[in-house]
Amino acid sequence: MPRILRYPKVSVPTSSLVVTDLSKDQMDGQIAACVLQGIVNRQCKQKIYVMNTYCYDNKSGGSKQAQVAERFLKELFSDIPTERLQGTDDRDWSGLFTLLDRFGGFIKGMIIWDPKLEQATIEAATTIAGQTDGIVVSPVLAEALHSRNLPVIADLRDYDFQDNLECLQWLMENWLDGACKDIAFTWSHMTTDVKSWGAANKDYIVALKLFTFYLDITNDEEREHYIDLLKYYPPGTPVMGWTDERWSDPLFMQLGYFMVPYISVENLTVQSSFPSTSRKQPDPHPLEVHNDGVYIAFHVADGDNLLHSMVYEPDIIMNSSDYGKIPVTWVINPGIVDLAPRLFDWYFAKLGTQEIAAQVGDGHPRSDRSTAFKLYCDISKGYLQRAGVRTMKQMEESEAVAWNLQPYVMNSGYNGARRGIGPYEYHMDNETFHIGSVNMKDDPENIRKLVHDAPKDQPLFLNVFCGTAIRDVPAIIKHAAESLKSTQYSDGKHYFFVRSMDMAATYRKWKKMPILPYQNLYDK
């Protein structure tokens, strides 16, 4: 089987956008609309662009949900001609019916899911839609579309699947051969109630003809059957989508795969249709070394999840009045150099005092699965090089990854030492500065205690996890920095706030090592 080192893109470029608002559509309408979006955007330069899809995982849905699609039209796509569609008067499927009036000719039929086995049959229907250009509909929506005379490609109620495993087995027997296997895909929480994690990723699945399915990973019997499908993908292949990380991380590590969370991210068929990009961050700069110095690198995490890289972090960067006031390392998924190249360029345009770090996935193939682990390292190295980032975030087996990739900085740990290594643990892995982390917990007192208990008469280097961008994290960091600065003379310490790569450069200077290694990641 071939080795895939890049995420697949939509090959037809974007020349114009047709924008529709799905905020008034019920979930079955949003599912159908995003499936239609994938069918159209795979083929056309004029692409459907949706806004305001629903996802309970996005800050519990509702009015608190972070929505960036409207602002991206200005921030990323201001040069692209845009037409806005006005919704119909239908109270249940306003946006969908407007899209059907405009793009209905692209549809070859309907695939109807079975409400008795909702999650499994919605995913099965989505797999079928990618290969047949049919839209995925509920039985109620199928009835509402009766007047449009759409043929029924498949009615999954007819098969009377008794459980998720039976549905998956049928789907594999009939639809696996025709699916794209560049990446694997799985999706959970695809319901039609208020706890639904939404339909936003359906456009990318359908456009790329991916195979998507549902198993309950919390169920002991069903969990054992993930390998039934994953064995058809090369060891080390990323699994996009989502299934609960408490079970998926150890399972996929053992099987030789890794999860790339892809939740509540709209318009990936638009974002990925632009030419891929590459960048190079500035060289790191060491500070003067003081034996009473405390060098702190704040970082914002969970960037492996595309929801954070493509929604939460841009949302906060656009909204926070404190962005850029304190050096911060923002962890994002470097795969967006392919999946969302204009967004990656936007990050770089706003760097200033900030730094971009990379986290490739949630977990990784276990290092004793040598073929899978090597593929993960090859994928990671390629994306770190193309993204031009010097700092990598890695939680599990960070030592093994550091030695294989040799980034300038390996940022290890999460919520303190729960995963990874602890706050006082920093050392060199050949040319890589490897440091653990501490969770600030919104309280600088936690940092003060670490400073108080640290070894005396030498500089202290602290890597501080400040949470994720679901809140105004630049304001939280600014408050912490000001609080620590206010005590720097009373506790006899001097505080310096730096990017991760600058802290590594300062450590190297303290150890009388070259600031830049003879051969760094960019040159390999």
Side-chain angles (χ1 to χ4, degrees), residues 200-231:
N201 57 31
K202 297 272 180 258
D203 67 316
Y204 185 74
I205 300 168
V206 170
L208 274 296
K209 301 183 180 181
L210 303 179
F211 188 99
T212 180
F213 67 101
Y214 169 72
L215 290 177
D216 182 358
I217 202 168
T218 68
N219 179 285
D220 291 343
E221 180 184 3
E222 292 190 25
R223 185 163 59 250
E224 294 179 358
H225 287 274
Y226 272 87
I227 191 58
D228 294 351
L229 177 71
L230 291 179
K231 68 184 180 183

Side-chain angles (χ1 to χ4, degrees), residues 298-349:
F298 295 111
H299 71 276
V300 180
D302 278 10
D304 62 295
N305 188 335
L306 296 180
L307 170 60
H308 290 259
S309 292
M310 298 183 64
V311 179
Y312 288 162
E313 293 184 62
D315 177 58
I316 288 299
I317 290 171
M318 287 186 280
N319 285 340
S320 177
S321 59
D322 290 312
Y323 174 78
K325 292 184 178 178
I326 302 293
V328 174
T329 297
W330 296 79
V331 181
I332 69 170
N333 192 315
I336 67 173
V337 299
D338 287 325
L339 294 173
R342 286 197 168 196
L343 177 59
F344 190 82
D345 288 345
W346 176 88
Y347 270 113
F348 256 73

Side-chain angles (χ1 to χ4, degrees), residues 12-15 39-47 103 106:
V12 178
T14 296
S15 63
I39 295 169
V40 172
N41 290 4
R42 180 204 303 144
Q43 307 171 58
C44 293
K45 292 184 177 181
Q46 182 183 66
K47 299 197 186 299
F103 296 100
F106 287 85

Side-chain angles (χ1 to χ4, degrees), residues 453-474:
D453 295 340
K456 309 301 181 185
D457 301 320
Q458 67 182 53
L460 175 63
F461 301 89
L462 286 179
N463 177 35
V464 179
F465 169 57
C466 300
T468 67
I470 60 173
R471 300 176 297 163
D472 188 352
V473 68

Side-chain angles (χ1 to χ4, degrees), residues 47-346:
K47 299 197 186 299
I48 295 173
Y49 186 94
V50 303
M51 301 189 303
N52 299 315
T53 59
Y54 179 86
C55 175
Y56 184 75
D57 187 54
N58 185 332
K59 301 184 179 182
S60 300
S63 60
K64 294 181 180 179
Q65 194 168 324
Q67 298 283 9
V68 294
E70 177 75 55
R71 283 170 288 166
F72 278 174
L73 287 173
K74 177 182 178 182
E75 295 283 336
L76 307 182
F77 307 120
S78 60
D79 61 322
I80 305 298
T82 299
E83 176 187 355
R84 292 177 182 264
L85 297 181
Q86 298 300 315
T88 68
D89 293 333
D90 184 277
R91 65 181 182 179
D92 293 327
W93 307 294
S94 171
L96 170 64
F97 281 10
T98 302
L99 287 174
L100 290 173
D101 290 343
R102 179 67 170 270
F103 296 100
F106 287 85
I107 299 170
K108 295 180 180 177
M110 300 183 295
I111 305 106
I112 306 171
W113 78 70
D114 185 351
K116 292 190 299 183
L117 197 66
E118 193 171 61
Q119 296 198 64
T121 57
I122 289 175
E123 294 314 298
T126 305
T127 294
I128 298 167
Q131 299 179 45
T132 63
D133 288 353
I135 59 168
V136 175
V137 298
S138 66
V140 174
L141 181 53
E143 186 64 30
L145 296 175
H146 180 75
S147 62
R148 294 180 182 262
N149 297 316
L150 293 171
V152 176
I153 295 170
D155 187 338
L156 299 185
R157 295 173 297 178
D158 294 343
Y159 296 91
D160 193 27
F161 300 120
Q162 296 303 298
D163 55 36
N164 300 323
L165 289 170
E166 187 178 331
C167 179
L168 175 59
Q169 184 62 39
W170 174 86
L171 190 65
M172 291 173 59
E173 290 172 358
N174 292 277
W175 298 97
L176 180 58
D177 286 347
C180 169
K181 300 182 186 66
D182 288 351
I183 52 174
F185 205 95
T186 188
W187 189 229
S188 297
H189 310 300
M190 188 61 260
T191 59
T192 55
D193 58 17
V194 295
K195 295 294 183 72
S196 176
W197 282 27
N201 57 31
K202 297 272 180 258
D203 67 316
Y204 185 74
I205 300 168
V206 170
L208 274 296
K209 301 183 180 181
L210 303 179
F211 188 99
T212 180
F213 67 101
Y214 169 72
L215 290 177
D216 182 358
I217 202 168
T218 68
N219 179 285
D220 291 343
E221 180 184 3
E222 292 190 25
R223 185 163 59 250
E224 294 179 358
H225 287 274
Y226 272 87
I227 191 58
D228 294 351
L229 177 71
L230 291 179
K231 68 184 180 183
Y232 290 95
Y233 297 81
T237 299
V239 183
M240 291 184 73
W242 178 255
T243 188
D244 196 302
E245 64 183 355
R246 290 171 293 178
W247 286 271
S248 67
D249 282 0
L251 176 64
F252 291 167
M253 284 184 70
Q254 175 188 352
L255 296 178
Y257 302 89
F258 67 99
M259 175 66 68
V260 178
Y262 169 25
I263 304 164
S264 194
V265 175
E266 298 168 334
N267 303 306
L268 206 59
T269 51
V270 175
Q271 295 266 21
S272 67
S273 71
F274 291 92
S276 297
T277 190
S278 62
R279 293 283 175 172
K280 183 177 180 180
Q281 283 193 106
D283 287 340
H285 295 289
L287 279 69
E288 289 300 316
V289 181
H290 301 273
N291 282 341
D292 62 355
V294 180
Y295 301 87
I296 295 178
F298 295 111
H299 71 276
V300 180
D302 278 10
D304 62 295
N305 188 335
L306 296 180
L307 170 60
H308 290 259
S309 292
M310 298 183 64
V311 179
Y312 288 162
E313 293 184 62
D315 177 58
I316 288 299
I317 290 171
M318 287 186 280
N319 285 340
S320 177
S321 59
D322 290 312
Y323 174 78
K325 292 184 178 178
I326 302 293
V328 174
T329 297
W330 296 79
V331 181
I332 69 170
N333 192 315
I336 67 173
V337 299
D338 287 325
L339 294 173
R342 286 197 168 196
L343 177 59
F344 190 82
D345 288 345
W346 176 88

Side-chain angles (χ1 to χ4, degrees), residues 397-408:
E397 292 193 282
S398 56
E399 195 90 2
V401 177
W403 279 99
N404 278 273
L405 266 68
Q406 290 292 282
Y408 193 72

